[in-house]
Amino acid sequence: MSKIFITRKIDDAVIDELKKSFDVEVWDSEDEAVPRDVLLKQAKESHALLTMLSDQIDEELLSDAPHLKVVANMAVGYDNIDVEAAEKAGVIVTNTPDVLTDTTADLAFSLILATARRIPEAADYIKQGEWTSWSPYLLAGRDVHHKTLGIVGMGKIGQAVAKRAAGFDMNILYHTRSRKTEAEEQFGAQYKNLSDLLEKADFVLVLAPLTEETRGMIGAEQFKKMKDSAIFINVGRGPVVDEKSLVDALRNGDIAGAGLDVFEKEPISKEHPLLSMENVVAVPHIGSATTETRYIMMKLAADNIKAVLNGEKPLTRVTR
């Protein structure tokens, strides 16, 4: 019987369905990542892995996994997997695209609103008993409606954010590898080169995937091009941004604030300077974290595994 190893505790209903046909073992923790030595041992014995973004599926692992046929990553991104090495080893890699588009777009727009309107700061203010009177500029934030949103990475999530921004009567600019005429037609989005977008946007939202081309693409030079009133939002991948340059830009007043779901190193340390700044709203990589969407992601990853182990075509295969 083919063996499946799942690197984090997921919904029992998904596990039970897999157990009907396969030998399933689960790293029984929702919060703690599977240790590297355990992952290597399990990969050596397994025919399939259901993995998280925190699990490094590299050449070392793949070269000593003689039975492995499929790695199903429970995420859209797969920068934790050496896809080239997997292909050479004859291992199929799958991900979970599309099913989290709207959920992640909701989170991205939530960060825009929360940062602009100082929602976490205001919530703490009232909980700490500091609200003793009213004044005209008490916790005054910035309007979102009628402002300019610049989207860096206009994939499906970017277009879903553009749809939401259109409802706020925002002017939408975008930069991506290829023009998205459908977004231009539906939402009035305008294609710009990165420099123009940064100079004109009141909110800069990064949704770009992590590749060798995008790693560190937003750094000191880019922050200096932004308005000093601009708010920077990252819901793509942490290493797309030079985090030290972001800290410097916030300290120096080059930009007004930041809303962050992703970081260069995750989990981020509580001592990180970003977390001590009142003009930063930081959340722990929860872009797709709703109970409905995470269940669909789990099920899609499991369905990909079932398909491959049953000799069928996977539903969402990743290729280079």
Side-chain angles (χ1 to χ4, degrees), residues 207-228:
L207 288 164
L210 179 61
T211 66
E212 289 309 308
E213 290 74 26
T214 64
R215 186 181 295 274
M217 71 180 291
I218 306 294
E221 179 183 348
Q222 288 69 38
F223 287 119
K224 288 186 183 301
K225 289 181 178 179
M226 292 170 60
K227 299 177 181 180
D228 59 11

Side-chain angles (χ1 to χ4, degrees), residues 23 68-69 74 104 168 253 293 303:
D23 176 19
L68 193 61
K69 295 181 179 179
M74 206 187 94
T104 305
F168 278 70
T293 294
D303 287 346

Side-chain angles (χ1 to χ4, degrees), residues 10-21:
I10 61 173
D11 195 282
D12 288 339
V14 178
I15 296 172
D16 291 343
E17 183 63 27
L18 288 173
K19 284 183 175 179
K20 291 178 181 178
S21 305

Side-chain angles (χ1 to χ4, degrees), residues 223 232 241-250 255 258 260 274:
F223 287 119
F232 177 76
V241 180
D242 180 345
E243 218 160 73
K244 181 182 183 303
S245 295
L246 172 58
V247 171
D248 290 343
L250 289 161
I255 61 174
L260 307 169
L274 284 170

Side-chain angles (χ1 to χ4, degrees), residues 13-296:
V14 178
I15 296 172
D16 291 343
E17 183 63 27
L18 288 173
K19 284 183 175 179
K20 291 178 181 178
S21 305
F22 308 103
D23 176 19
V24 180
E25 191 165 342
V26 182
W27 175 249
D28 198 27
S29 173
E30 290 186 13
D31 305 316
E32 181 187 349
V34 61
R36 178 68 176 178
D37 61 330
V38 174
L39 180 59
L40 290 173
K41 179 179 182 297
Q42 290 290 344
K44 189 173 184 177
E45 302 169 354
S46 298
H47 299 82
L49 298 176
L50 196 160
T51 56
M52 311 293 139
L53 272 173
S54 56
D55 304 317
Q56 291 302 310
I57 309 301
D58 52 19
E59 191 169 9
E60 179 192 19
L61 181 149
L62 292 161
S63 65
D64 195 23
H67 312 296
L68 193 61
K69 295 181 179 179
V70 58
V71 176
N73 214 38
M74 206 187 94
V76 174
Y78 46 88
D79 44 272
N80 58 311
I81 300 175
D82 187 333
V83 177
E84 182 177 1
E87 289 180 353
K88 287 180 180 177
V91 175
I92 291 172
V93 176
T94 69
N95 64 342
T96 57
D98 303 331
V99 297
L100 48 70
T101 296
D102 282 319
T103 301
T104 305
D106 284 348
L107 188 279
F109 211 82
S110 296
L111 280 176
I112 291 172
L113 291 168
T115 309
R117 295 302 304 271
R118 302 170 64 180
I119 301 297
E121 191 180 347
D124 288 343
Y125 185 86
I126 197 169
K127 286 180 180 179
Q128 292 166 6
E130 296 182 38
W131 188 28
T132 58
S133 65
W134 186 89
S135 64
Y137 283 115
L138 175 64
L139 289 161
R142 301 168 190 272
D143 282 333
V144 173
H145 62 273
H146 298 147
K147 294 295 182 69
T148 296
L149 171 63
I151 301 174
V152 181
M154 193 62 144
K156 292 182 178 180
I157 296 172
Q159 292 176 64
V161 174
K163 180 179 179 180
R164 288 152 176 76
F168 278 70
D169 293 320
M170 298 187 83
N171 177 38
I172 303 163
L173 312 178
Y174 76 97
H175 175 75
T176 196
R177 287 184 297 180
S178 56
R179 295 282 292 266
K180 302 294 183 182
T181 54
E182 61 271 31
E184 295 174 12
E185 293 167 359
Q186 291 182 46
F187 314 120
Q190 304 171 58
Y191 178 82
K192 298 287 183 183
N193 64 45
L194 183 58
S195 181
D196 283 349
L197 181 150
L198 295 172
E199 290 172 1
K200 292 180 170 62
D202 298 299
F203 299 88
V204 174
L205 168 62
V206 173
L207 288 164
L210 179 61
T211 66
E212 289 309 308
E213 290 74 26
T214 64
R215 186 181 295 274
M217 71 180 291
I218 306 294
E221 179 183 348
Q222 288 69 38
F223 287 119
K224 288 186 183 301
K225 289 181 178 179
M226 292 170 60
K227 299 177 181 180
D228 59 11
S229 59
I231 289 174
F232 177 76
I233 309 289
N234 189 8
V235 187
R237 284 290 180 267
V240 170
V241 180
D242 180 345
E243 218 160 73
K244 181 182 183 303
S245 295
L246 172 58
V247 171
D248 290 343
L250 289 161
R251 283 176 172 165
N252 298 335
D254 294 330
I255 61 174
L260 307 169
D261 184 44
V262 291
F263 306 89
E264 274 189 346
K265 184 178 180 181
E266 297 180 358
I268 188 172
S269 165
K270 66 178 182 179
E271 286 81 25
H272 197 289
L274 284 170
L275 302 188
S276 65
M277 298 180 177
E278 289 186 343
N279 57 344
V280 173
V281 176
V283 294
H285 204 145
I286 58 169
S288 62
T290 66
T291 54
E292 299 94 335
T293 294
R294 286 285 168 88
Y295 179 80
I296 295 170

